[in-house]
Amino acid sequence: MATLLVAVVLLTAAVYGVATLVRVSRAVTDAAPFLSGHAPTEHAASRFHVRWYTITMVFLAFDMEMVFMYPWTLVVAEMGTPAVVEMFLFLAILVAGVWYAWREGVFRWT
């Protein structure tokens, strides 16, 4: 256990040492971020309205849908009808979630 800890500490120190040696510049750059040639109007870590988090969750739900649908297209040929039924059940659960979000007013912007 102690040998593993020493190896991890030495590896971490080696990585930091190499990063220090290959660093291009030791000074911090004062360049502003590229914003179509304009100066930034707000801080980079500004807060977003809370409604964006809900929209993000809905987007992630449909993003996960696509993650499951791509391999499903390969499996449906082997499994047949049960795979189709499972996918439509999965899609029905997603549609129920969107319907609930719509009913709660998630998609209203005013």
Side-chain angles (χ1 to χ4, degrees):
M1 185 67 176
T3 308
L4 180 62
L5 182 61
V6 170
V8 168
V9 169
L10 288 176
L11 181 65
T12 305
V15 167
Y16 274 108
V18 169
T20 303
L21 290 175
V22 299
R23 186 170 38 193
V24 175
S25 171
R26 299 200 186 284
V28 178
T29 317
D30 290 332
F34 179 75
L35 187 64
S36 300
H38 301 292
T41 58
E42 60 187 24
H43 193 272
S46 63
R47 295 182 181 201
F48 293 103
H49 194 278
V50 71
R51 70 177 162 230
W52 287 107
Y53 294 109
T54 313
I55 294 294
T56 302
M57 291 299 122
V58 171
F59 169 75
L60 286 176
F62 281 96
D63 201 31
M64 285 293 102
E65 168 203 3
M66 292 312 297
V67 166
F68 287 120
M69 284 187 83
Y70 284 134
W72 172 78
T73 58
L74 300 175
V75 172
V76 73
E78 294 176 16
M79 293 188 64
T81 307
V84 174
V85 171
E86 285 181 15
M87 183 51 69
F88 277 107
L89 182 64
F90 177 67
L91 292 175
I93 292 170
L94 281 177
V95 168
V98 170
W99 176 75
Y100 174 76
W102 196 310
R103 191 184 70 179
E104 291 295 317
V106 168
F107 302 117
R108 270 187 296 214
W109 293 99
T110 56

